[in-house]
Amino acid sequence: MTPRHPLTPGRAGAASAALALVLASAATGSPVSAAGGEGADVPQSTVYRSVAQFTTAGKPRDLLLHPDSKKLYVGSDDLPDTADVNESGLHVLDPADGKVRSTVDQAPGPTGTLGRRSVRQLLAPLPGDGAVFLYPLRGIGTAKDGDAAAAGAWVPGAAVTHATAGLTPSTVLVAQGPVLSEVDIATAAVKRTVTLEGGDGFAVDAARGTVWFTDLAHRRMYRIDAASFQVTASVELPAGEGFGGFTEVDPETGAVWVGLDSSVVVHDATGKRLGTVRGAGGDMPRAAVFDATTHQAFVVWQDAGDGSQPGSDNDGTLTVHRTRDLQEVVKPVVLPGLHVQLGGAAVAVEPGGASVFVSDPVAGRITRLERATSPRVTRSPADRAVTAGTEVSLTAEAEGVPRPTVVWQVSTDAGRTWQAVAGATSPTYTFTAALSDNGRRYRAEFGNDAGVGRTAAATLTVTIPDPTTGGIGGPSTTGGTGSTDGTGSGSTGSTGSTGSSGSTGSTGSTTGGSDGGSDAGSGGTSGTPGSVGGASTGATVGGGNHTTPSGGALASTGATVATLAGSAVVLTAAGWVLLRRTRPRTTG
């Protein structure tokens, strides 16, 4: 049993004879629709929090969380600060703790000779496990966890400036400046080519057979038909400084997200402008990825890293947006030290959005963030009506990530203020009800990293146990005056006990308690002659502590005011009855 709450005072004084207290139940508090409010109707809030940082993969340039094997692939350059160790290559990490499973650092050069290669972009996952990647200057490689070396081939022509997954599983698309080519993965043979006015980056909408190619110098975006490999439309981009972060296509909707300067411009699958997403403090969008399960876009923003510019603080951010309306769904997450001076960040998202991985090439680390959802109440405690001394159990439940903790709270002022119950930190709170607990409200407060949720309040009603013969009486209102002939009875609500040790027809008390009611005398049965008053009779209505008189005492239970004259009348009447009952009969 958990400890009682600290607000419980000592038990009330002993109840008077035939005392009945009926304690009314207060109304249950209604749920409120505010963060951290009461009840199951309060919406959950979501945040992302950093839970780990991996520094085991050199200078990370790109990330890929494999959809089948669930391994985290990292394409890396060498870190200048670790001159004794070359950390470039393709690293395979355990996404839970960042432990390196293997590193593939050998790939063929232009003549087929193996050598240590950096990995600049991860283009697509291989079936089951492994990745297709780009390595300088024109290498297209493939490798999986545990391989001693990567397979690879070199694309003919100029250095590759950008690459991504192709229109078929066996191809990739590469940009060599304004030239866009479809390339076979195994041989790097060019299958088709289109030359544009200019170009910086592109993205593929395989579901709709479209490639979107951005040309920042001319502030345009070109739509290329996958079947004909020809430009079919162009879309004007907003004017700006010409800084581009990324071009990505939402595979679900076909919307194109383009990072430009300090904003993200979004167009639908036809090229129609949908809206603009802006970061905080002038940060620049550098990476984006979409989660089909949650229908959300995850955008990484990097600081300029130039203290002379307004708003530059060296900190980047992660923002999460609904793809249907571009609205933020979580509070932006600050990423300390994330700026663009030494390269662009990358992002990978676990399907469903539970975990997010963001690379920081400046610090040579990968930050793992986990989603936290505030507690959502699924069960509130119910109102209870019990007798004093009964064991009471109140139960509450809530869901959230991470698992919420719970603290029970109590209110003695109808829910205006609340205090924690000492030691009550389990979903079920058990205690023994006292009369002083009547009307108190109880609720459970659940909390985790994302916020707080509280149950609706439950009200506790406590009554005294039902009366038994010779025991404590039940509920009472106003008592009447007992008759002197042995047959009198109290008014409605009064309960007299069976007379004992008194003559037939003992009298009840005459003056009520502090509530202004009167005691009711109930006619007793025949008893042993000789004592005045007999057993106690009638119930007392009112406050104060009272004691039960013994046989032979004056009827005074619950009496708070008894005038001298009134007492004399009672004693005289009682004596008259006594003398009359004991006078011997005469004969004749």
Side-chain angles (χ1 to χ4, degrees):
M1 180 183 298
T2 55
R4 288 189 53 79
H5 54 74
L7 295 181
T8 301
R11 301 276 183 174
S16 63
L19 175 64
L21 293 179
V22 181
L23 302 172
S25 171
T28 302
S30 300
V32 293
S33 55
E38 288 186 341
D41 295 333
V42 178
Q44 283 184 299
S45 61
T46 302
V47 299
Y48 278 91
R49 69 204 201 289
S50 174
V51 296
Q53 291 187 336
F54 309 151
T55 57
T56 53
K59 180 180 179 179
R61 300 297 299 269
D62 205 359
L63 303 175
L64 185 151
L65 191 61
H66 199 281
D68 299 326
S69 69
K70 313 302 181 186
K71 299 170 186 175
L72 181 63
Y73 280 78
V74 184
S76 298
D77 279 337
D78 185 36
L79 273 174
D81 294 341
T82 57
D84 56 330
V85 179
N86 189 329
E87 298 170 296
S88 61
L90 180 69
H91 300 276
V92 186
L93 306 186
D94 184 331
D97 56 14
K99 181 179 179 181
V100 178
R101 297 176 56 93
S102 64
T103 297
V104 182
D105 55 17
Q106 300 291 308
T111 63
T113 303
L114 290 175
R116 185 140 201 160
R117 315 292 178 186
S118 297
V119 175
R120 299 293 175 84
Q121 280 186 266
L122 296 170
L123 310 182
L126 291 173
D129 190 27
V132 183
F133 57 91
L134 171 69
Y135 60 97
L137 296 169
R138 295 176 280 117
I140 304 296
T142 59
K144 64 179 184 299
D145 182 18
D147 285 349
W154 281 57
V155 180
V160 174
T161 53
H162 187 73
T164 192
L167 297 163
T168 67
S170 62
T171 63
V172 293
L173 295 178
V174 301
Q176 294 165 292
V179 179
L180 178 66
S181 301
E182 183 180 35
V183 174
D184 181 75
I185 292 174
T187 64
V190 175
K191 301 170 73 81
R192 296 184 292 177
T193 297
V194 59
T195 300
L196 306 171
E197 186 177 0
D200 298 274
F202 60 90
V204 176
D205 182 3
R208 295 161 188 81
T210 302
V211 180
W212 291 95
F213 201 113
T214 53
D215 179 3
L216 295 180
H218 298 90
R219 309 301 286 188
R220 300 197 68 78
M221 183 168 60
Y222 303 99
R223 186 176 66 193
I224 300 170
D225 177 66
S228 65
F229 221 60
Q230 296 296 315
V231 176
T232 57
S234 63
V235 177
E236 184 177 355
L237 295 174
E241 299 176 0
F243 183 87
F246 59 81
T247 302
E248 297 289 351
V249 171
D250 178 5
E252 182 180 15
T253 66
V256 190
W257 293 52
V258 181
L260 293 173
D261 302 318
S262 58
S263 64
V264 179
V265 181
V266 184
H267 297 77
D268 69 11
T270 68
K272 178 183 178 181
R273 179 81 61 84
L274 294 177
T276 301
V277 175
R278 300 189 182 278
D283 288 349
M284 295 175 283
R286 294 299 295 166
V289 69
F290 301 93
D291 177 51
T293 303
T294 59
H295 313 291
Q296 293 173 352
F298 295 75
V299 181
V300 175
W301 307 72
Q302 288 180 266
D303 188 77
D306 183 354
S308 65
Q309 295 186 12
S312 181
D313 57 5
N314 280 341
D315 293 339
T317 52
L318 170 73
T319 59
V320 186
H321 309 263
R322 284 193 300 263
T323 55
R324 70 172 182 268
D325 58 12
L326 313 185
Q327 295 300 307
E328 285 187 351
V329 295
V330 302
K331 182 180 179 180
V333 183
V334 176
L335 301 171
L338 188 64
H339 59 76
V340 299
Q341 294 298 314
L342 293 177
V347 59
V349 177
E350 178 183 338
S355 298
V356 180
F357 302 86
V358 179
S359 68
D360 182 350
V362 177
R365 68 188 175 205
I366 299 166
T367 299
R368 176 180 174 173
L369 302 111
E370 287 187 355
R371 182 179 59 204
T373 56
S374 64
R376 185 179 72 84
V377 173
T378 57
R379 178 181 179 182
S380 290
D383 291 349
R384 296 292 305 277
V386 300
T387 57
T390 301
E391 186 174 86
V392 177
S393 290
L394 303 175
T395 299
E397 296 175 358
E399 60 185 17
V401 179
R403 183 178 180 180
T405 58
V406 59
V407 173
W408 283 89
Q409 298 176 334
V410 63
S411 174
T412 59
D413 54 10
R416 288 187 292 274
T417 61
W418 295 86
Q419 294 189 33
V421 178
T425 57
S426 297
T428 297
Y429 169 42
T430 302
F431 61 99
T432 300
L435 291 177
S436 57
D437 294 329
N438 175 68
R440 287 184 170 176
R441 296 186 181 185
Y442 297 86
R443 71 183 185 187
E445 180 180 86
F446 293 90
N448 62 13
D449 292 342
V452 171
R454 302 181 184 96
T455 66
T459 301
L460 181 65
T461 302
V462 186
T463 61
I464 285 182
D466 292 337
T468 58
T469 302
I472 297 176
S476 173
T477 54
T478 303
T481 303
S483 68
T484 61
D485 61 0
T487 61
S489 62
S491 63
T492 302
S494 301
T495 304
S497 60
T498 302
S500 63
S501 302
S503 60
T504 302
S506 60
T507 61
S509 63
T510 61
T511 306
S514 60
D515 284 348
S518 63
D519 293 334
S522 174
T525 59
S526 61
T528 304
S531 62
V532 178
S536 61
T537 63
T540 301
V541 177
N545 296 333
H546 313 290
T547 58
T548 303
S550 61
L554 292 177
S556 60
T557 303
T560 57
V561 177
T563 65
L564 181 61
S567 298
V569 171
V570 173
L571 292 174
T572 299
W576 182 82
V577 171
L578 179 63
L579 290 173
R580 184 178 180 186
R581 299 273 179 141
T582 58
R583 180 177 299 172
R585 285 179 177 271
T586 60
T587 59

